[in-house]
């Protein structure tokens, strides 16, 4: 089997079809049962959103998902990742369009999703990656640091400066 076939991707901008929310999620695994799809919807916390939709999960989302917000589209991608059950996951700014509260809730759920998988998280928000086994810090296209959050925060280098800035401090 190829690496590509075993890799699930949660992109910053989800690719959605002019179809129902349900079918857009089922696209990740056409053999998934209704129960599995509903579990994926709940996992990605789309159930809270679709409760207000006229036809719930059977509401048409429009071409490229125009009827959904950026955060709602990202939740569709997260539901797809769960449903696809791949060994390798790439999350590219997967929570960037979510509000802080929802991001925190989904990050907690993502921790469960990532267990037993190789995961590559691409993020500007350091809170998204702080629990990673290994963080690779890049600047101007080059790797400048790598290690765990705790290791990098103890150094007075790029990661620590970025962390202080995102926590409300200032770069010196």
């Amino acid at each position: 089997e190829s690496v590509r076939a075993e890799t699930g991707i949660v992109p910053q901008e989800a690719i959605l079809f002019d179809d129902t929310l349900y079918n857009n999620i089922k696209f990740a695994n056409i053999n998934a049962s209704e129960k599995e799809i509903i579990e994926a919807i709940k996992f990605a916390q789309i159930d809270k959103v679709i409760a207000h939709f006229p036809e719930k999960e059977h509401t048409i989302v429009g071409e490229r998902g125009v009827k959904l917000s950026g955060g709602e589209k990202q939740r569709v991608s997260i539901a797809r990742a769960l449903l696809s059950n791949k060994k390798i996951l790439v999350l590219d700014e997967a929570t960037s369009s979510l509000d802080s509260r929802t991001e925190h809730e989904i990050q907690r759920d993502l921790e469960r999703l990532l267990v037993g998988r190789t995961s590559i998280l691409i993020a500007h928000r350091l809170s998204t990656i702080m629990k990673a086994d290994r963080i690779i810090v890049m600047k101007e296209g080059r790797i400048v640091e790598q290690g765990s959050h705790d290791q990098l925060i103890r150094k007075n280098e790029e990661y620590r400066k970025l962390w202080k800035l995102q926590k409300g401090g200032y770069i010196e």
Side-chain angles (χ1 to χ4, degrees), residues 84-170:
S84 69
N85 197 25
K86 302 292 186 178
K87 293 178 184 175
I88 301 168
L89 285 179
V90 177
L91 287 83
D92 183 4
E93 296 284 358
T95 60
S96 64
S97 294
L98 301 176
D99 61 86
S100 296
R101 182 178 180 185
T102 305
E103 179 190 22
H104 176 74
E105 292 170 1
I106 288 181
Q107 279 181 357
R108 186 184 59 231
D109 292 337
L110 283 174
E111 285 180 43
R112 290 183 307 163
L113 176 63
L114 300 179
V115 169
R117 292 179 167 83
T118 298
S119 309
I120 300 169
L121 287 79
I122 303 162
H124 287 90
R125 272 192 219 164
L126 300 183
S127 60
T128 304
I129 61 168
M130 65 183 286
K131 292 186 179 180
D133 296 330
R134 187 162 101 193
I135 298 168
I136 298 173
V137 183
M138 298 185 73
K139 184 175 182 178
E140 298 174 7
R142 298 182 68 209
I143 295 174
V144 293
E145 288 180 276
Q146 54 184 308
S148 69
H149 170 78
D150 291 337
Q151 291 167 335
L152 295 172
I153 212 73
R154 284 192 289 256
K155 296 179 179 181
N156 195 21
E157 294 180 28
E158 194 66 28
Y159 183 87
R160 183 174 175 176
K161 290 175 186 176
L162 292 169
W163 181 258
K164 286 172 71 174
L165 178 66
Q166 289 188 18
K167 295 297 272 186
Y170 299 93

Side-chain angles (χ1 to χ4, degrees), residues 49-105:
V49 174
I50 63 174
H52 305 289
F53 287 1
E55 296 180 51
K56 309 299 183 239
E57 68 271 12
H58 298 291
T59 300
I60 303 279
V61 298
E63 190 174 329
R64 295 188 337 260
V66 295
K67 295 181 182 177
L68 301 177
S69 71
E72 291 162 355
K73 290 177 190 178
Q74 284 185 324
R75 293 179 208 191
V76 170
S77 287
I78 291 167
R80 284 176 171 170
L82 177 69
L83 203 59
S84 69
N85 197 25
K86 302 292 186 178
K87 293 178 184 175
I88 301 168
L89 285 179
V90 177
L91 287 83
D92 183 4
E93 296 284 358
T95 60
S96 64
S97 294
L98 301 176
D99 61 86
S100 296
R101 182 178 180 185
T102 305
E103 179 190 22
H104 176 74
E105 292 170 1

